Amino acid sequence: TPFPNIEPAVERILDAIRKKEMICVWGDFDVDGQTSTTVLVQTLRALGADVVYYIPIRGKESHGVHIESLKPIIDNGAKLIVTCDTGITAHEAIDYANSRGADVVITDHHDLGETLPNAKAIINPKLLPEGHPLRNLAGVGVAYKLAEALLDGGRRTEDGLRSEDLLDLVALGLIADVALLRGETRSL
């Protein structure tokens, strides 16, 4: 796989689908965050997941994962939180989720802090070596790589969704986030 940590993320998501656990996709309010959220929600629904999503309200919450918004989601039964375009510095919120018995998979493209949060898996192009062709991906590109890994294992989807069906959303998110269009990012 091109991305470190994509396999444990796929395993945890497929396990949640098998066990019929509720999955919450936690996005961001910009175009990159909204297209990322849509890519993952559409993919998870096609795979038969019990999925909800949450996008913070810009004026009230700002960016990131906030415990006060996460609490009701976990109270309502979410056992797995999958972030898109956010979460790489959300140490407290992820520790809180873990303490409540919910796992977190992070997909994000923002710069890494000094330490990484205690998530089940972290998929972030900044973990790749300098000069790697995937290092410029915006959040939607990272979400797409996860969706691709989930779909391209030849898993049957309820609606025949293929990873290439998501590329309109990927293009929109990459352009809106002004991602550097070089290599893989340009081809997407």
Side-chain angles (χ1 to χ4, degrees):
T1 50
F3 255 106
N5 304 323
I6 217 156
E7 281 172 17
V10 167
E11 277 171 35
R12 180 60 187 94
I13 289 167
L14 293 177
D15 187 50
I17 294 171
R18 268 193 304 274
K19 292 178 176 165
K20 304 210 178 321
E21 292 176 336
M22 185 196 292
I23 302 172
C24 176
V25 176
W26 183 296
D28 192 21
F29 44 72
D30 65 2
V31 177
D32 188 25
Q34 293 198 34
T35 51
S36 304
T37 303
T38 307
V39 161
L40 287 178
V41 168
Q42 199 176 336
T43 300
L44 292 170
R45 281 192 179 146
L47 292 167
D50 175 9
V51 61
V52 296
Y53 61 90
Y54 184 80
I55 292 175
I57 298 158
R58 183 190 292 256
K60 281 198 334 213
E61 297 174 272
S62 183
H63 296 277
V65 185
H66 306 284
I67 292 174
E68 56 276 19
S69 303
L70 191 54
K71 184 182 183 308
I73 292 167
I74 295 173
D75 288 346
N76 285 329
K79 292 281 177 227
L80 176 60
I81 313 295
V82 181
T83 74
C84 358
D85 193 29
T86 190
I88 199 63
T89 56
H91 291 78
E92 283 178 36
I94 290 164
D95 287 343
Y96 172 76
N98 291 337
S99 77
R100 295 282 316 273
D103 288 329
V104 182
V105 167
I106 296 171
T107 78
D108 196 356
H109 68 115
H110 293 101
D111 290 339
L112 310 174
E114 283 184 20
T115 59
L116 294 174
N118 190 16
K120 200 81 177 158
I122 297 174
I123 306 169
N124 185 313
K126 301 285 195 309
L127 293 166
L128 295 164
E130 286 292 339
H132 190 285
L134 296 173
R135 215 174 138 94
N136 307 325
L137 284 178
V140 71
V142 185
Y144 178 70
K145 286 291 161 191
L146 177 57
E148 200 176 44
L150 284 162
L151 292 169
D152 291 357
R155 291 176 193 86
R156 291 208 7 191
T157 60
E158 295 179 358
D159 57 1
L161 182 73
R162 300 179 334 249
S163 55
E164 50 269 32
D165 299 332
L166 301 164
L167 288 172
D168 52 349
L169 291 163
V170 176
L172 184 65
L174 289 172
I175 299 295
D177 221 52
V178 200
L180 181 62
L181 299 180
R182 191 186 296 148
E184 173 109 10
T185 312
R186 177 169 285 288
S187 67
L188 288 171

